[in-house]
Amino acid sequence: MAERIAITVSELTDLSAPMDPRFGRAAGFLVVQDGEVLTVSKNSAVLASHGAGTGAASLMQELGVGKVISGAFGPKASSALTEMGITMLLAPAGLTAAEALERAGRGELQVQALRVIR
Amino acid sequence: MKTLAVFSGKGGTGKTTLVACFAELAGRVVAVDCDVDAANLRLLLPGVDVDREPFLSGRKASIDQDGCLGCGACAEACRFDAIVQCEGTWTVDSMACEGCGVCSIVCPAPDVIRYQDNLAGHWMRRRSGSILLVHAALGVAQDNSGKLVAKVRQEAAAWADHEGVPLVLVDGPPGIGCPVHAAMGQLDRMLVVTEPTPSGLHDLERMLRLAQHFGVSCCVVVNKWDLAPSFTRNIEDSCRTWRVPIAGRIPFDPAVPRLLAKGLLPLQEPAGRETSNAIIVCWSRFSTGPCEIPDLPEEVSWAGGSA
Amino acid sequence: MIVSFASGKGGTGKTMLATNLAAVLSARLTTTYVDADVEEPNGHLFLRHDEARLERAAVSLPKLEGVCTGCGACQKACAFHAILALKDRVMAFPELCHSCGACCMVCPEQALVERPFEIGSLVHARLGALRLVSGRLDVGQARATPLVEAVVRAGVRGHEDEMILVDSPPGTSCAAMAAVRHADLVVLVTEPTPFGLNDLRLAVEMCRAMERRIVAVVNRADLGDGEVLHYLEREGIPMLGQVPFERSIATAYARGELATTRSGALRAVLDAILAHIELVALDGSLP
């Protein structure tokens, strides 16, 4: 089964949506498999009182995601996603979800190999 | 005025006892205890503190309950989990609060979140015979950022200047972090005290790398050397690799802890002759003998660097 | 269950006890040894594992990724003097930065973004059944506390129902506190000297400030006086045992070996700690 990839978006529409540079406080996620959008999820973790990072990471696990593309991952998200074995890819600012996905496919996005602790 | 410092990286190598002995041998000196987290030098340099000053560092947030809207935006934004809800009211956990100010940035109500100066500890001056001592105590749960270390260093230098004392002797803190960086600034030379164990070697090499980084001239002394003579040779080989001179070897002497408990220094009986002589030789070599900036090329692997 | 070994004073034998206990315990229970003394991690010298997985650790540091107008709002907002506003750019000081995010929040141009700045490594390894997690601060890096917190989190996460032994850094300030904060039991290792007693008092103060359960072990017990024992008794802190200075322990230590097979006294103290751990596990209300 092909891998599912999540992309943080600031508009809950489709692959033409602009990326949300944040992960924990992203407006929502597009989950893509084989280039097709499986789900468009609102980020429920935004309601969390202490650091939305872990909540958002749990959401990734629930959605069965293997890779996440975002602008930056904070310490709680970073730690949780690492434990879950979900790969974090970093996209530069200003891309649409489609552009980010394309770059990821070509291996052009940097993998977050660091554990961000603060 | 010269500033000499003694470090060890690892705790328990006998550094503070040596510093007290050196101060005694030097006669006219301002000693400064930079281990503000667990300051012990004053236990060997008895006297009365002639000054005790508060040390303010940083601030802590507090929430004015009258004006608080209860929105919880502060708790959400706080990265240190320092704002908690207790029976419906939002309060600041001052142990966790780092005084960063983010809570007041996000607070929608004006003037509800306020900050108070944080009393982080105290610093003291003492006369112990002809030896002048500057020491400090950091409060519980305080951030040991090196600020208090920098303060006692500054006060020691000022006092030495004022009294016309030609030497400042620094008792360095353990580790390699902020407090050590603050204690390592503006030094003429430093001594690293180690012991013949794998941890002793590991921590010695991390100190030498740090000294190399800061460009400070060093020499090394192996304390309790006869507990493991072959390991002592390993340490001395390592010093040669780093191009750092050896200031001596001090034997293990079970009489020393008992002496210290009585408030005596191992420069006299019942400490062994060998012990006191070794300390005297070490002081002589450290204060006037050769010292070099550690010089190990970046590529060479070393005990303290491998995972 | 989390058991932290702390001492206030360095060099009292925390690592010696913690590593030996880890070896003994892992024969019976799923155990993790966490080396949280990130400035001088020595656990690996006694628990000699083969391969280790290294993970680089980073803290967030503000980086200019937009247009800077030199307004200085970031500098004004920073409580730690960690960011300096120049005419058209900024200078961030990693040794001062607390990664709080204030500067990024106040920048009117939204030009500051937090990017990872490497400060050290997390090491994950195994030695037989024993799981090992340790942290190592890069030489030259200033702030240990974030890495101590991260190591403890990495050691505990996902293994909360197992035995976790945390080897703390010396001292009683925030780095040591980070290693003791969530402990179910703190074992204070001390020595019967004026230094040992002085720092034991500070360590007890620290543990009490965090409401941790405390027990004590006296190491090199024959080299000193009885003040420490009197203090522990007065304070009502259970003293689980004394380990005399034994050359066999020192020699084993110098050879990087575990001393449990060589010292009856050490073995007795470890058994006493194990018995206390069992009591704590059974009865959470024990003092």
Side-chain angles (χ1 to χ4, degrees), chain B residues 149-256:
Chain B
V149 172
K151 176 66 174 169
V152 293
R153 280 280 321 257
Q154 188 189 50
E155 290 296 333
W159 204 10
D161 206 36
H162 187 258
E163 299 262 328
V165 170
L167 176 66
V168 171
L169 185 60
V170 176
D171 186 359
I176 53 155
C178 262
V180 176
H181 300 191
M184 233 186 228
Q186 268 95 59
L187 289 182
D188 288 290
R189 42 177 57 194
M190 65 183 255
L191 174 71
V192 187
V193 183
T194 187
E195 59 178 36
T197 63
S199 347
L201 175 61
H202 178 270
D203 300 352
L204 166 67
E205 294 203 323
R206 281 168 74 79
M207 279 311 292
L208 293 179
R209 179 61 98 198
L210 189 64
Q212 179 176 2
H213 190 80
F214 276 81
V216 183
S217 301
C218 299
C219 56
V220 172
V221 63
V222 185
N223 194 13
K224 306 180 234 178
W225 78 270
D226 51 344
L227 283 180
S230 63
F231 212 94
T232 297
R233 278 193 290 277
N234 288 356
I235 295 206
E236 291 172 352
D237 285 341
S238 169
C239 292
R240 267 184 283 278
T241 312
W242 287 80
R243 301 206 205 287
V244 167
I246 308 283
R249 297 174 165 193
I250 300 169
F252 171 71
D253 188 342
V256 172

Side-chain angles (χ1 to χ4, degrees), chain B residues 9 11-12 37 39-40 42 79 98-99 106 140-143 175-178 181 198-199 202-203 206 226 257 261 304 306, chain C residues 10-11 39-42 79-80 98-100 105 114 136-137 140 142 172-174 177 195 198-199 205 223 225 247 253-254:
Chain B
D37 204 348
N40 289 327
R42 66 189 169 80
R79 297 198 179 176
E98 302 211 354
V106 302
V140 177
Q142 295 299 328
D143 202 349
I176 53 155
C178 262
H181 300 191
S199 347
H202 178 270
D203 300 352
R206 281 168 74 79
D226 51 344
S306 48
Chain C
E39 293 184 42
E40 303 287 12
N42 289 325
F80 312 105
H98 283 225
S99 308
C100 70
M105 290 171 81
E114 291 183 271
R136 166 181 294 271
L137 189 71
T172 52
S173 64
C174 52
M177 292 188 68
F195 297 166
N198 183 61
D199 300 353
E205 212 187 314
L223 298 181
D225 62 34
R247 261 193 122 98
Y253 188 59

Side-chain angles (χ1 to χ4, degrees), chain A residues 54 71-76 79-84 90-93 112-118, chain C residues 55-60 98-99 114-116 118-119 122 124 143 145-147 149-150 153-154 157:
Chain A
T54 19
F73 298 87
K76 291 180 178 170
S79 184
L81 290 169
T82 304
E83 291 304 320
M84 292 168 183
L90 299 166
Q112 169 119 315
L114 301 170
R115 184 185 289 238
V116 178
I117 62 182
R118 264 252 184 135
Chain C
E55 219 187 333
R56 293 291 294 157
V59 295
S60 304
H98 283 225
S99 308
E114 291 183 271
R115 290 295 178 212
E118 292 182 41
I119 63 165
L122 287 176
H124 306 266
R143 303 191 67 238
T145 307
L147 190 55
E149 290 168 349
R153 266 198 318 260
R157 194 194 172 89

Side-chain angles (χ1 to χ4, degrees), chain B residues 35-103:
Chain B
D35 186 358
V36 300
D37 204 348
N40 289 327
L41 188 56
R42 66 189 169 80
L43 300 172
L44 295 180
L45 297 176
V48 174
D49 288 334
V50 297
D51 270 317
R52 184 170 187 263
E53 301 294 326
F55 176 71
L56 298 176
S57 174
R59 51 186 195 164
K60 300 286 181 183
S62 65
I63 298 170
D64 178 8
Q65 296 303 329
D66 291 331
C68 176
L69 304 173
C71 67
C74 50
E76 196 189 311
C78 178
R79 297 198 179 176
F80 309 109
D81 295 336
I83 302 185
V84 292
Q85 195 170 31
C86 230
E87 284 155 20
T89 54
W90 293 102
T91 44
V92 177
D93 170 3
S94 17
M95 244 193 342
C97 177
E98 302 211 354
C100 68
V102 164
C103 47

